[in-house]
Amino acid sequence: MKFFIDTANLGQIQEAQDLGVLDGVTTNPSLMAKEGITGRDNILKHYVDICNIVDGDVSAEVIATDYDGMIKEGQELADLHEQIVVKLPMIKDGIKACKYFSDKEIRTNVTLVFSAGQAILAAKAGATYVSPFIGRLDDISTDGLNLIAEIRHIYDNYAFNTQILAASVRHTMHVIDCAKIGADVMTGPLKSIEGLLKHPLTDIGLAKFLEDYKKGN
Ligand code: E4P
């Protein structure tokens, strides 16, 4: 399973990159705003800064919600850097735009997906990635992981090439469960990645090894 980090914070992206396990980055307009990145030029520059830190795909979301606007904006984003993936909302014009970009071999990520039906449409439109939001489903007492399992089952039935990018991951158990189900990618905050490091027996074991080493040296 590929690991993407879900942030626009350059420091955290660098930290995950330095760990050596990062495969890409997802951003969204809320994450950009959280970092204080505003204004079209600054936002575009920020995407390039992110691409210069990581080796993998970087999702950049369109703001337009109409077909022509999404095509214009998506093309502008794709032209920024070869690592950019155009992130499109799961709406009618977003699916049309997805088909347009996939025909042009421009990579896409269909976002704000909350049902298996939406995921089927994204795959049929040729999306590179589909982003089901598991944490937001859990927030409304609906099993987000079950959606990942449903999509995995459907995509495998028809050998769809679209990669399941489990999004809105909130913690380490989401990461582990996504891996068990067979999500292709997960995107989450730095803590969901670094949390995987932790086990008290590792810390106790290491302390004991060092203590014993000191006794003999
Ligand atoms: C996905 O690409 C989104 O940026 C993200 O995962 C949303 O997560 P949230 O529900 O934690 O905001």
Side-chain angles (χ1 to χ4, degrees):
M1 184 170 70
K2 287 187 226 167
F3 276 18
F4 287 3
I5 189 168
D6 195 31
T7 184
N9 182 289
L10 298 182
Q12 290 182 15
I13 293 169
Q14 186 67 62
E15 225 174 307
Q17 173 69 17
D18 291 347
L19 192 59
V21 299
L22 192 66
D23 301 298
V25 177
T26 51
T27 61
N28 64 42
S30 306
L31 293 171
M32 282 290 190
K34 191 173 163 197
E35 298 307 317
I37 314 296
T38 55
R40 196 73 196 143
D41 290 348
N42 292 332
I43 290 171
L44 296 183
K45 179 186 173 302
H46 203 73
Y47 285 136
V48 175
D49 290 345
I50 293 173
C51 290
N52 288 335
I53 296 175
V54 297
D55 300 321
D57 284 352
V58 174
S59 285
E61 190 159 342
V62 300
I63 302 300
T65 53
D66 65 294
Y67 176 78
D68 290 337
M70 280 191 246
I71 299 302
K72 184 170 174 291
E73 213 183 313
Q75 187 66 59
E76 190 183 9
L77 291 169
D79 289 343
L80 274 181
H81 199 282
E82 61 188 8
Q83 285 166 244
I84 292 284
V85 173
V86 180
K87 201 173 181 190
L88 301 158
M90 178 62 231
I91 55 176
K92 197 170 182 178
D93 280 8
I95 287 298
K96 284 186 189 173
C98 178
K99 176 75 176 113
Y100 170 89
F101 286 122
S102 67
D103 285 348
K104 290 191 76 180
E105 297 188 351
I106 290 175
R107 297 192 309 289
T108 52
N109 174 359
V110 174
T111 190
L112 290 166
V113 166
F114 294 94
S115 76
Q118 291 177 327
I120 293 171
L121 279 176
K124 287 196 66 75
T128 312
Y129 299 102
V130 64
S131 288
F133 279 33
I134 58 180
R136 292 192 195 187
L137 281 171
D138 288 354
D139 288 346
I140 57 158
S141 312
T142 303
D143 188 351
L145 288 165
N146 184 51
L147 176 60
I148 302 296
E150 276 188 316
I151 300 171
R152 179 75 285 153
H153 183 80
I154 292 166
Y155 281 12
D156 288 350
N157 278 349
Y158 299 99
F160 280 129
N161 289 325
T162 300
Q163 295 179 54
I164 303 172
L165 197 175
S168 188
V169 159
R170 300 275 168 79
H171 47 71
T172 53
M173 279 315 293
H174 273 157
V175 178
I176 294 164
D177 285 330
C178 283
K180 282 186 189 168
I181 293 167
D184 300 289
V185 191
M186 80 85 202
T187 190
L190 184 59
K191 72 175 169 70
S192 68
I193 298 173
E194 289 192 333
L196 297 170
L197 285 165
K198 293 178 193 159
H199 199 290
L201 291 179
T202 304
D203 299 337
I204 293 167
L206 182 59
K208 178 78 174 112
F209 286 157
L210 295 178
E211 189 190 311
D212 290 345
Y213 172 81
K214 273 183 208 151
K215 279 182 203 160
N217 289 280

